[in-house]
Amino acid sequence: MDVIEQLKTVVKDVPDFPREGILFKDIMPMFRDHVLVHDTCLELVKQIGDLGQGKPKAIVGIEARGFLIGPIMAQQLNVPFVAVRKKGKLPRQCYSVKYEKEYGFDEFDIQVDALKEGETVVIVDDLLATGGTLEAAKKLVDMCKATVMAHCVVFELEFLEGRQRLKDTPVVSLVKY
């Protein structure tokens, strides 16, 4: 069974989480299988390469599940990992952006010196839903004067049309619902 088929078997649907009317895709069971995690990250790295844009200079991971996948991908690519965190979690001077996600509002920070001007990066998260989270992370990368070459997720909820918000940047996703 290939990595995409394996991923489909481990995801658990959780109705009405984090609030009523949301069908949450729980990917945490994936992390019980270290080989699957490794192979998932390798597949994402391969698909980034298939875009034909070269190797990114950094992987930008979004709190929290982007922190589980992003550092592994960064290690596989031999590039730095940069964190996008919830407001107030990073020390020193930060850029901030407020954004709307599928079930409310939030705010993210990135340290102003986290990326170098002109660097190309890939933004990594677990899931693409409405696109608000990835769009916010891209705004932070833009504030750093770096360039997003792709957004990279393990899972995508196509019916929410999150790609529409990210239309200027390629999106790599492994499992689509």
Side-chain angles (χ1 to χ4, degrees):
M1 185 179 329
D2 73 1
V3 68
I4 294 170
E5 292 306 312
Q6 288 178 345
L7 286 167
K8 289 177 182 177
T9 67
V10 298
V11 173
K12 306 292 183 207
D13 288 344
V14 182
D16 299 322
F17 183 84
R19 66 170 212 206
E20 190 172 337
I22 303 289
L23 180 62
F24 186 81
K25 297 289 187 184
D26 182 10
I27 71 161
M28 295 312 290
M30 168 180 132
F31 294 96
R32 301 247 334 132
D33 182 342
H34 68 281
V35 174
L36 179 57
V37 172
H38 177 266
D39 292 350
T40 297
C41 292
L42 277 179
E43 182 62 26
L44 290 168
V45 165
K46 177 193 171 299
Q47 289 196 26
I48 291 167
D50 290 347
L51 295 173
Q53 298 183 37
K55 181 173 138 179
K57 299 293 182 194
I59 295 291
V60 175
I62 300 174
E63 185 172 354
R65 287 175 295 276
F67 289 3
L68 300 174
I69 301 161
I72 298 168
M73 292 175 62
Q75 191 173 49
Q76 290 170 341
L77 286 163
N78 197 30
V79 298
F81 174 79
V82 174
V84 167
R85 299 224 41 206
K86 294 190 184 209
K87 179 120 184 105
K89 300 290 185 180
L90 290 170
R92 300 186 297 111
Q93 187 178 1
C94 293
Y95 294 120
S96 296
V97 66
K98 292 180 183 177
Y99 68 100
E100 184 176 3
K101 53 188 184 177
E102 56 272 15
Y103 47 84
F105 293 88
D106 215 335
E107 194 166 355
F108 276 147
D109 288 347
I110 192 171
Q111 291 172 321
V112 297
D113 61 353
L115 297 168
K116 295 177 182 160
E117 186 173 340
E119 279 187 314
T120 55
V121 305
V122 171
I123 298 175
V124 176
D125 204 2
D126 63 326
L127 176 76
L128 170 56
T130 64
T133 302
L134 289 166
E135 181 182 49
K138 183 183 183 311
K139 287 177 182 176
L140 290 172
V141 170
D142 291 345
M143 289 177 191
C144 292
K145 297 186 172 121
T147 302
V148 178
M149 63 183 279
H151 297 281
C152 193
V153 296
V154 181
F155 303 99
E156 179 178 358
L157 304 178
E158 289 184 301
F159 64 94
L160 292 175
E161 300 180 343
R163 281 181 187 249
Q164 296 304 314
R165 291 174 88 163
L166 310 170
K167 60 185 171 219
D168 296 331
T169 309
V171 176
V172 170
S173 65
L174 299 183
V175 178
K176 296 170 180 66
Y177 294 100

